[in-house]
Amino acid sequence: NVCSGTDAAGRARSQRAAVAGAIEAVVAALQAHPQVEDVQKMGCWALRNVCSGTDAAGRARSQRAAVAGAIEAVVAALQAHPQVEDVQKMGCWALRNVCSGTD
């Protein structure tokens, strides 16, 4: 997983992914393939990782994800796959990261 890790290197990879358009690409994949469990699980997992971090860059990535439609895409995944534990787990974690903040 390229964007995992809470150390400086992991945060830098998450930032590079966001700058490259990963957030928007993941949201587009979630929207394009709503019935494909693996796409939903991995898309939520990717958002979870890219949107982690409580520093200014992490909060900016979360805001970027929200603007890109990540909240709605993750909620749709949760609703489309209520019996798929991995989608539920990754979706909840993605929402936690996208929606958390200190402001």
Side-chain angles (χ1 to χ4, degrees):
N1 189 334
V2 173
C3 295
S4 66
T6 57
D7 60 347
R11 289 190 303 274
R13 289 188 303 270
S14 290
Q15 190 61 30
R16 283 182 64 194
V19 169
I23 292 169
E24 293 80 5
V26 169
V27 170
L30 289 170
Q31 293 169 336
H33 304 284
Q35 296 305 317
V36 182
E37 290 177 16
D38 281 344
V39 171
Q40 300 302 301
K41 176 181 75 174
M42 299 309 284
C44 289
W45 195 351
L47 288 171
R48 174 198 106 169
N49 285 345
V50 172
C51 295
S52 67
T54 58
D55 59 349
R59 290 191 305 273
R61 290 189 303 271
S62 292
Q63 180 61 32
R64 184 172 178 165
V67 169
I71 294 169
E72 293 80 4
V74 171
V75 169
L78 293 169
Q79 292 173 335
H81 303 281
Q83 301 303 318
V84 182
E85 181 180 350
D86 284 342
V87 172
Q88 297 296 305
K89 180 170 49 175
M90 291 303 152
C92 288
W93 207 337
L95 285 176
R96 175 199 172 270
N97 285 358
V98 172
C99 295
S100 67
T102 57
D103 57 345

mmCIF file of all heavy atoms in Angstrom, residues 74-95:
data_model
loop_
_atom_site.group_PDB
_atom_site.id
_atom_site.type_symbol
_atom_site.label_atom_id
_atom_site.label_comp_id
_atom_site.label_asym_id
_atom_site.label_seq_id
_atom_site.Cartn_x
_atom_site.Cartn_y
_atom_site.Cartn_z
ATOM 1 N N VAL A 74 -18.707 7.126 -0.533
ATOM 2 C CA VAL A 74 -18.508 6.123 0.522
ATOM 3 C C VAL A 74 -19.853 5.713 1.117
ATOM 4 O O VAL A 74 -20.102 4.528 1.346
ATOM 5 C CB VAL A 74 -17.536 6.642 1.595
ATOM 6 C CG1 VAL A 74 -17.495 5.706 2.785
ATOM 7 C CG2 VAL A 74 -16.141 6.808 1.009
ATOM 8 N N VAL A 75 -20.737 6.663 1.346
ATOM 9 C CA VAL A 75 -22.062 6.325 1.873
ATOM 10 C C VAL A 75 -22.798 5.419 0.889
ATOM 11 O O VAL A 75 -23.438 4.438 1.296
ATOM 12 C CB VAL A 75 -22.873 7.595 2.198
ATOM 13 C CG1 VAL A 75 -24.328 7.267 2.489
ATOM 14 C CG2 VAL A 75 -22.253 8.336 3.378
ATOM 15 N N ALA A 76 -22.683 5.700 -0.390
ATOM 16 C CA ALA A 76 -23.313 4.840 -1.401
ATOM 17 C C ALA A 76 -22.738 3.425 -1.350
ATOM 18 O O ALA A 76 -23.475 2.445 -1.478
ATOM 19 C CB ALA A 76 -23.136 5.444 -2.800
ATOM 20 N N ALA A 77 -21.435 3.314 -1.151
ATOM 21 C CA ALA A 77 -20.807 1.988 -1.032
ATOM 22 C C ALA A 77 -21.343 1.244 0.176
ATOM 23 O O ALA A 77 -21.654 0.049 0.108
ATOM 24 C CB ALA A 77 -19.283 2.133 -0.937
ATOM 25 N N LEU A 78 -21.456 1.937 1.297
ATOM 26 C CA LEU A 78 -21.993 1.318 2.515
ATOM 27 C C LEU A 78 -23.426 0.837 2.297
ATOM 28 O O LEU A 78 -23.796 -0.255 2.731
ATOM 29 C CB LEU A 78 -21.938 2.311 3.684
ATOM 30 C CG LEU A 78 -20.548 2.698 4.177
ATOM 31 C CD1 LEU A 78 -20.629 3.882 5.131
ATOM 32 C CD2 LEU A 78 -19.855 1.525 4.841
ATOM 33 N N GLN A 79 -24.207 1.637 1.609
ATOM 34 C CA GLN A 79 -25.608 1.281 1.369
ATOM 35 C C GLN A 79 -25.744 0.159 0.346
ATOM 36 O O GLN A 79 -26.643 -0.671 0.454
ATOM 37 C CB GLN A 79 -26.388 2.514 0.911
ATOM 38 C CG GLN A 79 -26.533 3.543 2.013
ATOM 39 C CD GLN A 79 -27.144 4.843 1.536
ATOM 40 O OE1 GLN A 79 -27.070 5.198 0.360
ATOM 41 N NE2 GLN A 79 -27.739 5.582 2.466
ATOM 42 N N ALA A 80 -24.862 0.123 -0.647
ATOM 43 C CA ALA A 80 -24.949 -0.890 -1.699
ATOM 44 C C ALA A 80 -24.475 -2.261 -1.236
ATOM 45 O O ALA A 80 -24.861 -3.273 -1.815
ATOM 46 C CB ALA A 80 -24.132 -0.449 -2.924
ATOM 47 N N HIS A 81 -23.646 -2.293 -0.193
ATOM 48 C CA HIS A 81 -23.047 -3.553 0.252
ATOM 49 C C HIS A 81 -23.179 -3.723 1.770
ATOM 50 O O HIS A 81 -22.183 -3.874 2.479
ATOM 51 C CB HIS A 81 -21.569 -3.604 -0.171
ATOM 52 C CG HIS A 81 -21.383 -3.443 -1.637
ATOM 53 N ND1 HIS A 81 -21.591 -4.477 -2.521
ATOM 54 C CD2 HIS A 81 -21.053 -2.362 -2.387
ATOM 55 C CE1 HIS A 81 -21.384 -4.038 -3.754
ATOM 56 N NE2 HIS A 81 -21.056 -2.763 -3.691
ATOM 57 N N PRO A 82 -24.411 -3.738 2.264
ATOM 58 C CA PRO A 82 -24.603 -3.783 3.718
ATOM 59 C C PRO A 82 -24.130 -5.074 4.379
ATOM 60 O O PRO A 82 -23.853 -5.077 5.577
ATOM 61 C CB PRO A 82 -26.115 -3.604 3.888
ATOM 62 C CG PRO A 82 -26.693 -4.102 2.603
ATOM 63 C CD PRO A 82 -25.675 -3.725 1.548
ATOM 64 N N GLN A 83 -24.010 -6.149 3.625
ATOM 65 C CA GLN A 83 -23.604 -7.431 4.200
ATOM 66 C C GLN A 83 -22.126 -7.755 3.975
ATOM 67 O O GLN A 83 -21.673 -8.832 4.361
ATOM 68 C CB GLN A 83 -24.470 -8.554 3.620
ATOM 69 C CG GLN A 83 -25.957 -8.378 3.885
ATOM 70 C CD GLN A 83 -26.282 -8.267 5.363
ATOM 71 O OE1 GLN A 83 -25.730 -8.991 6.186
ATOM 72 N NE2 GLN A 83 -27.168 -7.347 5.709
ATOM 73 N N VAL A 84 -21.392 -6.831 3.367
ATOM 74 C CA VAL A 84 -19.979 -7.079 3.061
ATOM 75 C C VAL A 84 -19.132 -6.380 4.128
ATOM 76 O O VAL A 84 -18.963 -5.164 4.111
ATOM 77 C CB VAL A 84 -19.610 -6.597 1.645
ATOM 78 C CG1 VAL A 84 -18.145 -6.907 1.346
ATOM 79 C CG2 VAL A 84 -20.531 -7.230 0.615
ATOM 80 N N GLU A 85 -18.629 -7.199 5.040
ATOM 81 C CA GLU A 85 -17.917 -6.655 6.202
ATOM 82 C C GLU A 85 -16.755 -5.744 5.812
ATOM 83 O O GLU A 85 -16.572 -4.676 6.412
ATOM 84 C CB GLU A 85 -17.403 -7.799 7.066
ATOM 85 C CG GLU A 85 -16.676 -7.340 8.308
ATOM 86 C CD GLU A 85 -16.167 -8.490 9.154
ATOM 87 O OE1 GLU A 85 -16.530 -9.652 8.903
ATOM 88 O OE2 GLU A 85 -15.388 -8.211 10.068
ATOM 89 N N ASP A 86 -15.960 -6.134 4.819
ATOM 90 C CA ASP A 86 -14.804 -5.320 4.448
ATOM 91 C C ASP A 86 -15.205 -3.960 3.883
ATOM 92 O O ASP A 86 -14.541 -2.954 4.144
ATOM 93 C CB ASP A 86 -13.913 -6.058 3.443
ATOM 94 C CG ASP A 86 -13.085 -7.145 4.098
ATOM 95 O OD1 ASP A 86 -12.917 -7.122 5.337
ATOM 96 O OD2 ASP A 86 -12.594 -8.021 3.361
ATOM 97 N N VAL A 87 -16.274 -3.903 3.100
ATOM 98 C CA VAL A 87 -16.757 -2.614 2.592
ATOM 99 C C VAL A 87 -17.246 -1.763 3.763
ATOM 100 O O VAL A 87 -16.939 -0.567 3.836
ATOM 101 C CB VAL A 87 -17.868 -2.800 1.538
ATOM 102 C CG1 VAL A 87 -18.487 -1.464 1.159
ATOM 103 C CG2 VAL A 87 -17.335 -3.512 0.303
ATOM 104 N N GLN A 88 -17.969 -2.373 4.687
ATOM 105 C CA GLN A 88 -18.471 -1.631 5.837
ATOM 106 C C GLN A 88 -17.316 -1.085 6.691
ATOM 107 O O GLN A 88 -17.323 0.073 7.100
ATOM 108 C CB GLN A 88 -19.382 -2.518 6.689
ATOM 109 C CG GLN A 88 -20.638 -2.985 5.968
ATOM 110 C CD GLN A 88 -21.545 -1.838 5.592
ATOM 111 O OE1 GLN A 88 -21.948 -1.049 6.445
ATOM 112 N NE2 GLN A 88 -21.870 -1.721 4.321
ATOM 113 N N LYS A 89 -16.332 -1.925 6.940
ATOM 114 C CA LYS A 89 -15.196 -1.519 7.772
ATOM 115 C C LYS A 89 -14.394 -0.401 7.104
ATOM 116 O O LYS A 89 -14.121 0.633 7.727
ATOM 117 C CB LYS A 89 -14.304 -2.732 8.045
ATOM 118 C CG LYS A 89 -13.101 -2.423 8.903
ATOM 119 C CD LYS A 89 -12.354 -3.668 9.358
ATOM 120 C CE LYS A 89 -12.048 -4.625 8.250
ATOM 121 N NZ LYS A 89 -11.222 -5.772 8.648
ATOM 122 N N MET A 90 -14.024 -0.593 5.847
ATOM 123 C CA MET A 90 -13.220 0.417 5.155
ATOM 124 C C MET A 90 -14.013 1.695 4.909
ATOM 125 O O MET A 90 -13.470 2.798 4.971
ATOM 126 C CB MET A 90 -12.679 -0.135 3.835
ATOM 127 C CG MET A 90 -11.629 -1.202 4.023
ATOM 128 S SD MET A 90 -10.245 -0.593 5.019
ATOM 129 C CE MET A 90 -9.699 -2.128 5.733
ATOM 130 N N GLY A 91 -15.309 1.544 4.641
ATOM 131 C CA GLY A 91 -16.148 2.724 4.441
ATOM 132 C C GLY A 91 -16.252 3.566 5.692
ATOM 133 O O GLY A 91 -16.127 4.798 5.646
ATOM 134 N N CYS A 92 -16.458 2.908 6.825
ATOM 135 C CA CYS A 92 -16.538 3.652 8.091
ATOM 136 C C CYS A 92 -15.215 4.336 8.406
ATOM 137 O O CYS A 92 -15.180 5.487 8.846
ATOM 138 C CB CYS A 92 -16.938 2.719 9.228
ATOM 139 S SG CYS A 92 -18.668 2.198 9.140
ATOM 140 N N TRP A 93 -14.127 3.643 8.151
ATOM 141 C CA TRP A 93 -12.816 4.221 8.417
ATOM 142 C C TRP A 93 -12.549 5.407 7.480
ATOM 143 O O TRP A 93 -12.020 6.439 7.890
ATOM 144 C CB TRP A 93 -11.743 3.162 8.267
ATOM 145 C CG TRP A 93 -10.499 3.396 9.075
ATOM 146 C CD1 TRP A 93 -10.033 4.582 9.551
ATOM 147 C CD2 TRP A 93 -9.566 2.412 9.491
ATOM 148 N NE1 TRP A 93 -8.863 4.391 10.234
ATOM 149 C CE2 TRP A 93 -8.547 3.065 10.206
ATOM 150 C CE3 TRP A 93 -9.489 1.039 9.307
ATOM 151 C CZ2 TRP A 93 -7.462 2.391 10.741
ATOM 152 C CZ3 TRP A 93 -8.401 0.375 9.851
ATOM 153 C CH2 TRP A 93 -7.407 1.038 10.566
ATOM 154 N N ALA A 94 -12.937 5.271 6.213
ATOM 155 C CA ALA A 94 -12.766 6.374 5.267
ATOM 156 C C ALA A 94 -13.570 7.590 5.718
ATOM 157 O O ALA A 94 -13.061 8.721 5.714
ATOM 158 C CB ALA A 94 -13.188 5.945 3.864
ATOM 159 N N LEU A 95 -14.820 7.366 6.132
ATOM 160 C CA LEU A 95 -15.634 8.485 6.620
ATOM 161 C C LEU A 95 -15.016 9.128 7.856
ATOM 162 O O LEU A 95 -15.020 10.351 7.990
ATOM 163 C CB LEU A 95 -17.055 8.022 6.929
ATOM 164 C CG LEU A 95 -17.945 7.769 5.725
ATOM 165 C CD1 LEU A 95 -19.295 7.220 6.180
ATOM 166 C CD2 LEU A 95 -18.137 9.031 4.905
#
